[in-house]
């Protein structure tokens, strides 16, 4: 029996012959028929890039429905299963009634070839909770028509935006510190992120055969500094540094030693023989736009990294 297809990392795939995809070096994926396709050419990249964690309990759909088969392709997928007899006479008979004998489709809807597709389920290959909820048999949708109203998670621009969100990757949040190698007790440590690394990133998801798409764009809005110890003061006091002119925080330079950093930390106690695990977490605002003027907001996402900070006592010399 032809089961659900699994959404591979990079693009949706099918278990029939409805999709032929080619991935370019820039991360763009082109497709000829069927499935959900992701264009990651404007996504974050590099070994340190990572997926966002939603700031709420929201999660993208674990399964969804999209075009998968032409009439001929569904026939090619179904008939070998029936001929093998492994699924039992009763089930095979019901399947033949459904797709061959006009209850409701006759001869796999071949008289409507080119006018639509059989839709079927696709499943997130990570198998999150609810991955097995899309249990509808393949169903026909005429080109240009919406899927039946009782089909939950039938692909729409908003569903595509949610799937694109799950593919967004953002750069590392390792901050630049000054002093860099080690800091001193009660000495303000400046923290900032390079503006060049923190630009909006986006992923576009589309179903070319029915002409719908959506782009999810992540834009950095703030950085939270957690010093790794209660014996510290953050700047600002909330520990949340807002983005300003494309940069989070301000680079340290000579002449700023007596200034309070707009983003940073001041440790009140030495780290002794160890280090403090400073955690830097960036919050990204997610917005989406889709076919037909659709669009809106999705829950903010966060991505963080931890780096070790050595804090030493200031040594006084008595003369």
């Amino acid at each position: 029996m032809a089961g659900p297809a699994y959404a591979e990392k990079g693009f949706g795939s099918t278990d029939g012959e409805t999709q032929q995809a080619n991935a370019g070096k820039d991360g763009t994926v082109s497709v000829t028929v069927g499935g959900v396709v992701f264009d990651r050419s404007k996504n974050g990249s590099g070994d340190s890039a990572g997926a966002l964690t939603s700031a709420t309990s929201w999660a993208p759909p674990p399964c969804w429905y999209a075009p998968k088969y032409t009439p001929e392709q569904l026939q090619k997928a179904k008939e070998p299963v029936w001929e093998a007899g492994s699924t039992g006479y009763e089930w095979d008979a019901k399947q033949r009634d459904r797709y061959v004998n006009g209850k409701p489709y006759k001869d796999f809807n071949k008289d409507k070839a080119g006018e639509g597709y059989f839709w079927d389920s696709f499943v997130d290959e990570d198998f999150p909770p609810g991955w097995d909820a899309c249990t509808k048999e393949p169903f026909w949708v005429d080109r240009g028509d919406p899927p039946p109203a009782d089909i939950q998670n039938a692909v729409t621009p908003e569903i595509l935006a949610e799937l694109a969100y799950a593919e967004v990757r953002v750069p590392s949040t390792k901050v630049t510190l000054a002093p860099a190698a080690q800091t001193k007790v009660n000495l303000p440590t400046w923290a900032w992120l390079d503006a060049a690394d923190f630009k909006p990133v986006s992923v576009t998801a589309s179903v070319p055969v029915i002409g719908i798409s959506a782009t999810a764009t992540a834009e950095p809005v703030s950085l939270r500094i957690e010093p790794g110890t209660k014996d510290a003061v953050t700047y600002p006091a909330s520990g949340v540094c807002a983005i300003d002119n494309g940069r989070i925080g301000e680079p340290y330079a000579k002449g700023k030693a007596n200034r309070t950093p707009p983003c940073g930390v001041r440790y009140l106690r030495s780290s002794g023989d160890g280090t403090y695990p400073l955690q830097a977490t960036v919050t990204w605002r997610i917005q989406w736009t889709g076919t037909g003027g659709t669009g809106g907001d999705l829950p903010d996402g966060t991505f963080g990294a931890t780096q070790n900070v050595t804090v030493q006592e200031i040594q006084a010399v008595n003369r």
Side-chain angles (χ1 to χ4, degrees):
M1 176 173 61
Y6 303 100
E8 297 178 357
K9 298 303 180 185
F11 56 88
S13 67
T14 68
D15 57 359
E17 295 183 354
T18 56
Q19 177 170 306
Q20 295 177 353
N22 297 299
K25 293 181 179 180
D26 61 355
T28 303
V29 179
S30 61
V31 70
T32 55
V33 182
V36 176
V37 178
F38 297 103
D39 179 348
R40 298 213 216 78
S41 60
K42 297 180 181 178
N43 206 7
S45 60
D47 294 338
S48 61
L52 291 166
T53 298
S54 173
T56 69
S57 59
W58 175 90
C63 66
W64 60 93
Y65 295 94
K68 188 186 289 189
Y69 301 106
T70 64
E72 293 80 4
Q73 289 162 343
L74 184 62
Q75 180 181 17
K76 187 175 181 180
K78 291 290 185 181
E79 285 188 339
V81 178
W82 303 340
E83 291 170 1
S86 59
T87 50
Y89 173 81
E90 184 176 353
W91 187 88
D92 292 347
K94 289 181 179 179
Q95 289 279 295
R96 287 190 175 92
D97 279 347
R98 177 175 174 83
Y99 296 111
V100 180
N101 299 330
K103 299 180 182 180
Y105 309 113
K106 187 174 181 179
D107 194 22
F108 296 98
N109 259 15
K110 288 181 181 178
D111 62 329
K112 302 187 76 173
E115 299 177 14
Y117 297 96
F118 280 101
W119 290 39
D120 201 1
S121 60
F122 290 74
V123 177
D124 186 325
E125 68 169 2
D126 292 330
F127 300 103
W131 68 269
D132 54 352
C134 297
T135 58
K136 297 285 187 180
E137 290 280 356
F139 54 90
W140 180 264
V141 180
D142 284 336
R143 190 189 299 272
D145 285 353
D150 64 334
I151 303 294
Q152 293 186 352
N153 285 3
V155 70
T156 62
E158 185 169 4
I159 291 286
L160 290 176
E162 294 174 347
L163 295 174
Y165 182 154
E167 293 294 321
V168 166
R169 298 294 180 265
V170 295
S172 169
T173 52
K174 183 176 181 179
V175 297
T176 303
L177 300 175
Q182 57 190 32
T183 189
K184 306 292 185 182
V185 171
N186 285 318
L187 176 68
T189 299
W190 292 57
W192 68 94
L193 289 165
D194 189 343
D197 292 335
F198 281 82
K199 297 178 180 179
V201 297
S202 66
V203 172
T204 297
S206 63
V207 183
V209 295
I210 56 174
I212 64 171
S213 66
T215 299
T217 300
E219 181 179 6
V221 292
S222 64
L223 166 71
R224 175 179 290 278
I225 296 290
E226 297 177 79
T229 174
K230 295 180 179 179
D231 295 316
V233 175
T234 57
Y235 304 104
S238 65
V240 178
C241 309
I243 190 169
D244 183 26
N245 293 324
R247 174 180 279 117
I248 299 178
E250 180 182 326
Y252 177 79
K254 289 183 179 181
K256 297 181 179 181
N258 295 324
R259 287 176 48 187
T260 298
C263 183
V265 60
R266 178 165 58 90
Y267 287 97
L268 307 178
R269 187 185 299 273
S270 166
S271 59
D273 295 330
T275 58
Y276 290 128
L278 181 145
Q279 184 169 18
T281 303
V282 173
T283 295
W284 298 74
R285 179 182 296 124
I286 313 298
Q287 296 178 308
W288 70 275
T289 57
T291 305
T294 53
D297 296 324
L298 290 170
D300 289 351
T302 60
F303 186 61
T306 300
Q307 55 200 94
N308 295 323
V309 178
T310 300
V311 182
Q312 296 182 336
E313 295 282 0
I314 295 178
Q315 300 296 319
V317 177
N318 295 323
R319 295 182 181 274

